[in-house]
Amino acid sequence: MAYYTLRNGPVGRVLAGDRGATRRKVAVSPWLRPLGGGAVALVLPLSLLALWTLSAAFEWLPPQILPAPADVEHGLVEMWRSGDLAKHTAISLLRVVYGFSIGAIVGLALGVAMGLSRTVEDYTRPLFTAFAQVPTLGWIPLLMLLVGIGEGLKILVIAKAAFVPMTMNSFAGIRSVPPAYGEVAALYRFNRWQLLRQVMLPGAIPPIFTGVRYGLTHAWMALVAVELLASSEGLGYLLVWGRQMFWLDAVMIAMVLIGIVGFGLDKVMAIIERRLQRWRFADGARGGRA
């Protein structure tokens, strides 16, 4: 695969002394060490759940403002049985897939082009910088006038949210590839396509994947924001609908689900990143033991 070419190919063999980053050990408090690494992450959520339960039991806040966990659980079961929760979640995920794919592909292409060519950077960098300075939500009024409030608006807003971090990190990744890699590739008479595919892109994978993860996170947040403003379906719409009907259990269900799905998307991208860069992590582990 192209991801291993930089390490196992001629360029990697010549520059074999370049080790990957070593893993860092995270210190765990002696009080929490018996729980294990996975259980430690549950301490804070369980503490918040206990505080929420006590607050509802002693009515520190009115039930209309803070419903009891049992009421939220009952609402979750009802929404799941009716199919509304699955339908709205699927709609939101599909919008993210379309919008993120467009923004990530265009951002990757522009970032790589700017990283490889000073001329392209000179022509496009000022306009891109100005474009990036306008927050994603700031484009919604203009896009509403251009494309209305249909699906096109959601896709464009999500694409813009993913486009900016993807472009910036792709550009930084290409520029971070050591010049020595290109010099060794020139010795082996790589053409431009071979240089890009076997040297530049594999060497820029860590920053590019950082852009992918940031882009996906921004795309998910932009989705919720645009669904709050202009949508009749999706998880963002559930928030608005629950507030309008003053069903706070529906609002809390939507908020928790938005957080869980966003966390899950980031974890999936982290797993993919580790698989694509397992040679780098393996080098880092060996370097740490040396």
Side-chain angles (χ1 to χ4, degrees):
M1 293 177 63
Y3 301 104
Y4 301 95
T5 305
L6 190 61
R7 178 175 182 259
N8 299 323
V11 178
R13 287 195 294 270
V14 174
L15 301 171
D18 188 12
R19 294 286 185 177
T22 59
R23 295 180 180 178
R24 297 179 180 177
K25 295 183 179 180
V26 180
V28 179
S29 172
W31 297 96
L32 302 178
R33 195 171 295 138
L35 298 177
V40 169
L42 298 177
V43 172
L44 182 57
L46 291 178
S47 300
L48 292 176
L49 179 60
L51 181 62
W52 177 16
T53 303
L54 290 174
S55 176
F58 290 98
E59 294 188 357
W60 294 342
L61 290 175
Q64 295 83 2
I65 298 177
L66 184 66
D71 295 335
V72 176
E73 180 185 2
H74 177 73
L76 175 63
V77 172
E78 290 296 321
M79 292 178 69
W80 179 259
R81 288 177 177 174
S82 66
D84 290 340
L85 202 59
K87 182 189 74 172
H88 289 294
T89 303
I91 290 172
S92 293
L93 286 173
L94 195 60
R95 287 168 176 167
V96 167
V97 169
Y98 289 150
F100 172 75
S101 299
I102 294 172
I105 291 173
V106 176
L108 176 64
L110 179 59
V112 170
M114 289 196 304
L116 294 175
S117 173
R118 296 284 182 180
T119 302
V120 174
E121 181 187 3
D122 291 339
Y123 277 103
T124 60
R125 186 66 180 269
L127 180 60
F128 169 77
T129 302
F131 177 83
Q133 295 305 312
V134 181
T136 301
L137 296 182
W139 290 94
I140 292 181
L142 176 62
L143 292 176
M144 281 183 174
L145 295 175
L146 296 177
V147 300
I149 60 172
E151 289 300 304
L153 173 67
K154 287 85 170 174
I155 301 302
L156 288 175
V157 170
I158 296 168
K160 191 273 176 186
F163 168 74
V164 173
M166 193 65 191
T167 302
M168 296 176 65
N169 284 274
S170 300
F171 170 75
I174 294 296
R175 288 293 172 86
S176 68
V177 176
Y181 287 6
E183 294 172 2
V184 176
L187 292 176
Y188 285 89
R189 297 184 179 181
F190 282 10
N191 56 37
R192 289 190 175 184
W193 171 244
Q194 289 175 316
L195 177 66
L196 176 64
R197 184 173 63 89
Q198 299 184 25
V199 178
M200 304 303 291
L201 285 180
I205 282 178
I208 288 176
F209 252 92
T210 299
V212 170
R213 294 180 67 177
Y214 275 115
L216 188 58
T217 300
H218 290 187
W220 184 248
M221 292 189 295
L223 162 82
V224 176
V226 73
E227 285 182 345
L228 283 170
L229 297 175
S231 182
S232 59
E233 295 173 310
L235 294 177
Y237 166 74
L238 280 183
L239 291 173
V240 177
W241 175 73
R243 179 188 61 81
Q244 291 175 343
M245 302 299 295
F246 218 74
W247 292 344
L248 272 300
D249 55 343
V251 174
M252 298 188 72
I253 290 170
M255 290 176 62
V256 171
L257 191 57
I258 288 169
I260 291 175
V261 173
F263 177 80
L265 291 174
D266 183 73
K267 281 297 182 182
V268 168
M269 295 310 303
I271 293 172
I272 295 174
E273 180 182 11
R274 289 191 64 88
R275 287 187 176 275
L276 292 179
Q277 299 185 72
R278 55 182 179 267
W279 61 269
R280 178 169 169 259
F281 289 108
D283 274 358
R286 285 196 295 270
R289 290 194 297 267

